[in-house]
Amino acid sequence: MITISPSARTLRSPFYQSTVEDGVVSFTLYNSMFLPTGFGDPEAEYWRLKNGVSIWDVAVQRQVQLKGRNAEKLAQILCPRDISKMQIGQGKYIPLCNHSGILINDPVLLKIDEDCFWFSIADSDVWSWARAINNERQLDVEVSEPDAAPLAIQGPKAEDLVAEICGSWVRDLKYFWFKPFKIDGIPVLVARSGYSKQGGFELYLLNKNLGKKLYNRIKEVGQKYDIGPGCPNLSERVESGLLSFGGDTDHSTNPFEVRLGDFVDLHLDGDIVGLPALKKIHEQGPKRHQLGAIFNDANVCSHPIFEWMSIYHRGEPVGSLTNRTWSFQLEKTIGFALVSKKVQAGESVLIETEQGMKEAELVDLPFV
Ligand code: THG
């Protein structure tokens, strides 16, 4: 068996030991941390997420904290989305872009306080980016990593479980909103969010020494909901059309190509990194778009892909398949296609797989 060698660069989450005890069988690296990718029964993990409730160690969603008098100013310079009306306790999904309008991360932004914001980041270094812009603009904001590690509770039974642990007030939390709370003395932020479309919460643990205690508490109360271990689920997230930054994007992807255009506020003006480029890209019209691909052969391959696969239409290369998975719901092999606007949903394409050229149908996302 090939394994990942640990080192001081590969960090463990506060919930690492708990996932090992829960039978984790594989990890990937994400933001230089171990992210569980399976507990030995992918199908059971999928249906638990769709029909029940599962607990996920997603501490790899690390926090980039901006603190100081100019924290909001710096956050807005970094965000091509209007954050001026955000309230304390509110979150927003943000397509972070560089000066060329290329997507460099897709974090959730949390307004912690009037002078404090957190970016809950996908897999790329936002600390260096934020520090660089901060220093260039001489804003004197402190950019750091707070003691915070998200633990996700996902699935249709998540709300009943979290309400039992924290109180029925959690039922009134709006999407991406959050509130500080103490569970048995364990400080957390309770947020309605998570990387699935099955509903649920994320508990941001605010004391890394209490990971085991929090995990155990949730499992204890979760027993009657038949809770079990899980992790961001490839099959569910692809069916649901959720983007994976770095997996479904490359170094030339802009937000309009990957269905994040609604999160760009083009009317904004002032000093915002990437906004002039985004206005231009929007004006000229993006050249690619993201569609779904459904293979005609049932099970083309169930394991994830290492590299994007070329897609052809009438003999011409038109783009790439950026992920691929077995859909337990559709009982087909599906994936995301990042393709030229010349091809549309409803058309057939050929995809260059390790089993040769395979026919697939393009469809609009999400699949489900
Ligand atoms: N939770 C937290 N941090 C994160 C993620 C998360 N950081 C990394 C990664 N996930 C960021 N990416 C996403 C992608 C999609 C969503 C959230 C974070 C998401 N999208 C919904 C959708 O696309 O339908 C809703 C978007 C909206 O309507 O605003 O939830 O999961 N803490």
Side-chain angles (χ1 to χ4, degrees):
M1 193 173 71
I2 298 171
T3 60
I4 300 172
S5 305
S7 86
R9 288 178 293 101
T10 56
L11 310 176
R12 287 173 301 179
S13 111
F15 314 112
Y16 175 83
Q17 202 54 44
S18 300
T19 62
V20 169
E21 283 162 23
D22 257 353
V24 66
V25 297
S26 53
F27 290 97
T28 187
L29 288 176
Y30 192 100
N31 280 328
S32 306
M33 290 181 73
F34 290 103
L35 168 63
T37 53
F39 290 81
D41 191 343
E43 179 151 16
E45 289 161 37
Y46 173 86
W47 290 114
R48 185 182 291 141
L49 169 61
K50 295 275 282 194
N51 298 329
V53 56
S54 58
I55 178 170
W56 304 358
D57 173 3
V58 285
V60 298
Q61 297 167 176
R62 292 170 69 177
Q63 309 304 307
V64 178
Q65 173 172 281
L66 312 184
K67 194 158 170 49
R69 194 171 42 85
N70 286 327
E72 177 167 347
K73 191 167 178 191
L74 176 58
Q76 185 64 83
I77 289 170
L78 297 169
C79 294
R81 183 172 186 186
D82 188 359
I83 66 162
S84 65
K85 291 172 197 73
M86 276 180 85
Q87 294 177 33
I88 295 170
Q90 188 179 2
K92 262 182 197 272
Y93 185 37
I94 306 285
L96 274 194
C97 292
N98 68 14
H99 298 81
S100 309
I102 304 301
L103 199 65
I104 58 166
N105 203 292
D106 68 333
V108 178
L109 177 68
L110 294 88
K111 182 166 179 176
I112 302 290
D113 213 333
E114 289 304 339
D115 67 347
C116 185
F117 288 78
W118 290 359
F119 286 109
S120 180
I121 62 171
D123 188 17
S124 78
D125 178 3
V126 175
W127 294 277
S128 300
W129 176 250
R131 285 189 188 116
I133 304 295
N134 176 45
N135 283 294
E136 290 293 319
R137 302 294 198 285
Q138 300 185 320
L139 292 171
D140 205 24
V141 173
E142 187 198 325
V143 179
S144 62
E145 180 166 22
D147 183 358
L151 182 66
I153 321 284
Q154 298 287 297
K157 294 182 182 165
E159 184 170 314
D160 286 344
L161 170 56
V162 176
E164 187 167 334
I165 295 171
C166 301
S168 56
W169 60 271
V170 304
R171 299 186 191 278
D172 301 324
L173 265 185
K174 287 181 277 184
Y175 204 70
F176 285 139
W177 288 65
F178 61 93
K179 227 172 155 163
F181 191 72
K182 278 203 167 137
I183 298 173
D184 274 359
I186 308 165
V188 295
L189 298 181
V190 181
R192 189 187 289 275
S193 53
Y195 192 59
S196 87
K197 284 302 224 179
Q198 306 314 310
F201 294 82
E202 291 179 311
L203 308 177
Y204 292 65
L205 171 67
L206 303 179
N207 179 339
K208 61 181 181 307
N209 300 316
L210 300 178
K212 197 165 199 161
K213 191 173 172 197
L214 180 62
Y215 199 97
N216 285 344
R217 175 81 183 129
I218 290 156
K219 275 187 57 174
E220 196 179 282
V221 183
Q223 286 224 322
K224 78 178 212 226
Y225 301 94
D226 209 16
I227 198 169
C231 48
N233 186 286
L234 183 66
S235 185
E236 190 278 339
R237 80 100 178 156
V238 174
E239 288 173 353
S240 300
L242 289 174
L243 184 74
S244 172
F245 171 78
D248 302 319
T249 63
D250 61 13
H251 296 293
S252 66
T253 308
N254 66 63
F256 306 109
E257 295 177 320
V258 287
R259 300 174 294 123
L260 300 187
D262 285 351
F263 307 118
V264 176
D265 286 324
L266 288 164
H267 68 268
L268 287 173
D269 50 25
D271 184 7
I272 294 172
V273 172
L275 197 68
L278 288 164
K279 287 181 181 174
K280 195 175 273 176
I281 293 167
H282 187 257
E283 231 169 71
Q284 293 171 347
K287 307 217 163 21
R288 298 185 293 185
H289 58 166
Q290 192 180 45
L291 298 171
I294 304 179
F295 284 87
N296 291 352
D297 289 359
N299 200 343
V300 178
C301 197
S302 54
H303 61 74
I305 59 180
F306 268 109
E307 286 180 328
W308 288 8
M309 291 176 173
S310 297
I311 302 181
Y312 298 88
H313 179 68
R314 300 201 178 113
E316 297 285 323
V318 290
S320 305
L321 191 77
T322 66
N323 64 47
R324 177 191 54 183
T325 184
W326 178 251
S327 164
F328 289 105
Q329 177 155 339
L330 304 176
E331 300 189 327
K332 286 178 170 145
T333 302
I334 61 172
F336 288 2
L338 185 56
V339 288
S340 159
K341 285 247 175 173
K342 287 187 257 176
V343 285
Q344 297 293 333
E347 295 190 292
S348 288
V349 292
L350 285 174
I351 302 178
E352 198 170 1
T353 75
E354 52 296 67
Q355 300 164 45
M357 288 288 191
K358 294 285 179 183
E359 247 179 53
E361 179 96 359
L362 296 177
V363 297
D364 284 317
L365 289 170
F367 290 99
V368 172

